[in-house]
Amino acid sequence: MGSPDHAVEIIREKKWTVRVTAYGNALTLAFEAESYARSYADGQAFRLGVEVAERNECA
C-alpha cells in the first residue's frame, strides 16, 4: 500500500494542476487539458502506490 509521505492531487482551478508529493518534496505541474493532467496523475499515483485525490478550487 502507499506511504503516508506520498500523495498525488488533481486541483481544478482555471487550469488543471497536478501536485505530487514524494519523500517530503512537492512538485506542481499545470496542464491545459484534463486528459493530460489525469494521465500524468494516474501514472504518478501508480508509481507511488497511492490514490489520486481531487480538489475543485473554482470559486
Side-chain angles (χ1 to χ4, degrees):
M1 201 74 173
S3 168
D5 296 329
H6 305 320
V8 178
E9 297 175 282
I10 291 181
I11 304 163
R12 174 67 171 125
E13 296 174 312
K14 292 180 182 176
K15 293 185 179 184
W16 292 90
T17 305
V18 176
R19 181 178 302 135
V20 178
T21 305
Y23 304 106
N25 297 309
L27 174 66
T28 304
L29 299 158
F31 294 87
E32 293 288 332
E34 176 185 5
S35 61
Y36 292 133
R38 290 194 183 278
S39 178
Y40 182 80
D42 287 344
Q44 294 303 307
F46 177 77
R47 183 176 69 84
L48 295 171
V50 297
E51 296 287 323
V52 176
E54 292 196 37
R55 293 191 338 202
N56 188 350
E57 295 189 356
C58 292

